[in-house]
Amino acid sequence: MRPSARSLNESERYCVRSLIFIDMPETRAKLLQSLSPRVGQNVKTGESRARLGNLMPSATTTGKPLRKGAPIDWTKVVLNGAMPLAGVLAALAIAGIFLALLKVDPLTAYKSLVDGALGSTFGLTQTLVKATPLLLVGLGICIAFRANVINIGAEGQIIMGALAGAALPLSMPGLPGFVLVPLACIGGFAAGAFWGFIPGILKARLRVNEILSTIMMNAIALQFMNFLLQGPLMDPENVRRGTFLAQSARLPKEVWLPRLVPQTLLHSGLFIAIILAVVVYIFLWRTTIGYQIRAVGLSPDASGYAGIDVRANIALSMTLAGGFAGLAGVIEVIGVQHRLLEGLTSGYGFTGIVAALLGGLHPIGLIPASVVFGGLLVGADKMQRAVQIPSSLVTAILGMIVLFVSGAGIWAKSWAAKRLAGRPQGTEATK
Amino acid sequence: MTAAREAVRPKTGRVEMRDIVKRFPGVLANSGVCFDVVPGEVHALLGENGAGKSTLMRQLYGMYRPDSGQIIVDGTVRNFRSPADAIAAGIGMIHQHFMLVPTMTVAQNVALGLPSGRGPFTDTKGVSKEVTRLGNEYGLKVDPDAFVWQLSVGEQQRVEIIKALYRGAGLVILDEPTAVLTPQEVEDLFTTFRTMLTEGHSLIFISHKLYEVKAISDRVTVLRDGQVVGSGRTCDLSQQDLVHMMVGREVKDPDPRPHTPGPELVKMQGLKAMGDRGLEALRGIDLSIRSGEILGLAGVSGNGQKELAECLAGMRKLSSGKLLVEGHDMTNATVNERFDRGMAFIPEERMRDGAIREFTVGENVFLHDHMSKRFRRWIFLSFDRMREHALSLVELFSVKTPSLEVPIKNLSGGNIQKLIMARELSRDPFFLVAAQPTRGVDIGASEYIHDSLLAQREKGMAILLISEDLDELRGLSDRIAVMYEGGIIGIVDRGSSTVEELGFMMAGVTLEQMRKDGASTGKACP
């Protein structure tokens, strides 16, 4: 009954068990070799796995050697890819009913949507321009979500980042671009991070609900920007002319991000965002800090028992989320608008959450997801103009897409679980 | 309104459960249990954890439906679909964890879910009056306008009882009602019970505590492994009889391996701590554990073992007392400081506290050690070393897993526990706290875990083994300490104690009391 290493006797087994706790692989291997050459080989290098399998048949389920990678479950791959797509299509179908009720031909409407997003160079580049801040915001949302913290405060964090990203270059004209651009980016990241740190530390220390606090932080940031735009930051040109437009002066040319396609707004910030997506992926899955953040998000109890500082990681994840949103604000300022002005966020802080969800809260999945949402935003504009439908319906369609995609995800999961349950060898096989 | 309530209040008559069978996946919780209550009596239900007491009562209260068997109330067979049906039949239940809304007042809680006497409007005044009347009548003093969050645990329990009475319960089921109370509150509660009995109510009293059962009940039924092992008038049964029925079973001989413990490694001095419900859960624990010694900690769950384990792990603050490990003061040490000093923990809730369900087997293996130089380079995790380490643990502890990349939740309980054990031992600790290490683990894995513990003892480790399994404790421990109501009621050497003696101590009878009288306190037969 008892699983045992049959070819080792009792005392050998005991020795082996004690020896693995020696913290020096070389010494351990040597000791093991002196005990039994076969075992030593195996444990030292892990090469003769199959032979070890023979030695200790009970170590594996079916006599198969332990494999390096998990088996690829093709059903899962197909489901992961196809389900979001099916969700989008289902949402569009239902939205089509609403369009029909408004006496608009859904096909015409959708054609104008696709046309607007992909049909022209300008449309295509606009899609990518809008995808950039969504991607950056979404990266922060991903990090926060992995720590089980929901950051609704990206709007405010974008604003704080944009403020810093505009104020720094304005206050230091004449510096070269290679100084100004990093300075603006770091300043904006720091400002957004600070705006995320406040609700983060409140949650970690006092268990203040982060959803409520970040929403309020949004309002504060918005009014703070309005105040600065009406006062200290207002374009002196405007004041001189007496127009009093609520916008800042134009930033020095040195800090503008280079345009990738002439006559369009597409700028090199897109590359920054994509590179950061890879960085965040590595951060979350390859570093100790990312490991801790994910552990805290999945099980604060087990993390606490493992000596991980749960509070610090909650605060950290919010700080990073704020930083990425702040960076989105900077990029928007130095890449697109070249000045600070009202309505700069365009709701990216909220749409970014939705994009992050569509991307499966995965930094790499977020790249296509933000392009999809960028395209929807651009296409929706065109659709609105082409078929004369209220813009709120466009928002409703976006909402439905998220609902259907996440619903499809849940459905796929429960379906997979049922399939496993129906298969007696499934999880039971590991017993 | 009051008059109307009087009219509908049923005096529930004889309640009978016949041949109740209830299965859960893999467990036969009740097999052919018969149980009955007549008006005006207290029927105590006694048994160890997992004996099937709560399951039986939940069926009577309509929370579960029996697989087979009948529930007969006043001569008619009833088929309760939900607690609402049971309440309508005059059955009330006071759960161990109260079902109250903290932000509402007492009166609002009592009236919750019931039709108001004033149509669409709430009738707070009427309810308040009725609550006060019931309180006076049954000695359940509580302010009807106080908010529940302001009340002590004892007062909340009174609200629960008032709630049941207000709903016209003739039969009230009380699931371990004294577990959360101070001795004075227990006295008051028993007074209330006696009043209720004279009013014609009947009570089912679930408990572990023998003297309470002897003090209050008229009849007692003992469950073990889902079956009735004994039933009769309380006055006819001695405490000895009851303990024997509760724990009686084939007793294995303790492990005879000889060994001599070394010097004292761990010293606990007057440890005190608060529990989750704001009561003192630890009331001064003094224990010492020597190198190469397994100290068993027995006790019915809820007597402070969980809290003690959490305090040792650094997850719960001590309110006073001192913890010394190898002479170092670890009273307020952080979790990591405890690890560094050679402490290791196998938590009771292994899936909640010991592992992260969604993490893979490999990721779980270095949950504690991911910051050690061995597994990281700067901020990057060293997956190769982790894999090597995980593979050696998996192989040498015979953890059955398809690969290192599957989420740990896919493994069986026994394999998860072996992995946790392997992980903790691989950190080469010299003080291990193992809480319920073999609960819910299959026999093979249990034996493996036991062997590992004994092997570590021989290597000189000090082990605190917290368990509810007396066989396990008697088989492995060098000494057994018994916890009762947050204190150590007695410590016995291995082999010098019988299962009955341990059972007595777990039920709150000290060794001295045991020797003094054959334990026949309580009601005398008429």
Side-chain angles (χ1 to χ4, degrees), chain B residues 224-235:
Chain B
R224 194 171 74 221
D225 299 332
Q227 284 177 316
V228 176
V229 287
S231 186
R233 291 199 301 168
T234 311
C235 52

Side-chain angles (χ1 to χ4, degrees), chain B residues 431-447:
Chain B
F431 175 33
L432 174 73
V433 179
Q436 320 288 356
T438 57
R439 181 193 274 169
V441 166
D442 60 286
I443 296 169
S446 287
E447 278 187 31

Side-chain angles (χ1 to χ4, degrees), chain A residues 16 20 23 52 286 288 291, chain B residues 363 374 379 381 395-396:
Chain A
V16 169
I20 60 165
D23 196 11
L52 192 61
R286 291 280 178 264
T288 52
Y291 178 85
Chain B
E363 284 176 315
R374 191 171 155 202
I379 60 164
L381 295 166
E395 281 163 13
L396 288 160

Side-chain angles (χ1 to χ4, degrees), chain A residues 212-242:
Chain A
L212 299 179
S213 59
T214 49
I215 285 177
M216 290 189 271
M217 296 292 285
N218 283 346
I220 297 172
L222 184 65
Q223 296 310 325
F224 183 53
M225 177 174 78
N226 286 346
F227 159 72
L228 290 179
L229 284 179
Q230 304 282 352
L233 270 181
M234 188 186 272
D235 191 353
E237 190 79 356
N238 275 335
V239 181
R240 200 167 48 77
R241 285 201 211 132

Side-chain angles (χ1 to χ4, degrees), chain B residues 345-347 350 354-355 416-425:
Chain B
F345 309 95
I346 298 176
R350 75 182 74 101
I416 292 171
Q417 191 70 320
K418 280 200 280 188
L419 193 74
I420 292 174
M421 183 102 186
R423 179 183 75 200
E424 296 303 317
L425 295 183

Side-chain angles (χ1 to χ4, degrees), chain A residues 1 3 58 60-62 424-431, chain B residues 25-26 398-402 409-416 418 440-442 445:
Chain A
M1 180 69 211
S58 53
T60 55
T61 326
T62 54
Q425 294 94 338
T427 48
E428 296 293 305
T430 55
K431 278 200 176 156
Chain B
S398 305
V399 179
K400 283 176 228 162
T401 173
K409 65 181 176 186
N410 291 1
L411 270 58
S412 73
N415 281 305
I416 292 171
K418 280 200 280 188
V441 166
D442 60 286

Side-chain angles (χ1 to χ4, degrees), chain B residues 41-52:
Chain B
E41 77 158 355
V42 180
H43 196 154
L45 195 53
L46 204 61
E48 287 189 303
N49 299 91

Side-chain angles (χ1 to χ4, degrees), chain B residues 76-94:
Chain B
T76 45
V77 177
R78 302 299 297 266
N79 196 356
F80 298 142
R81 287 196 172 77
S82 74
D85 292 348
I87 291 168
I91 296 170
M93 184 160 176
I94 316 294

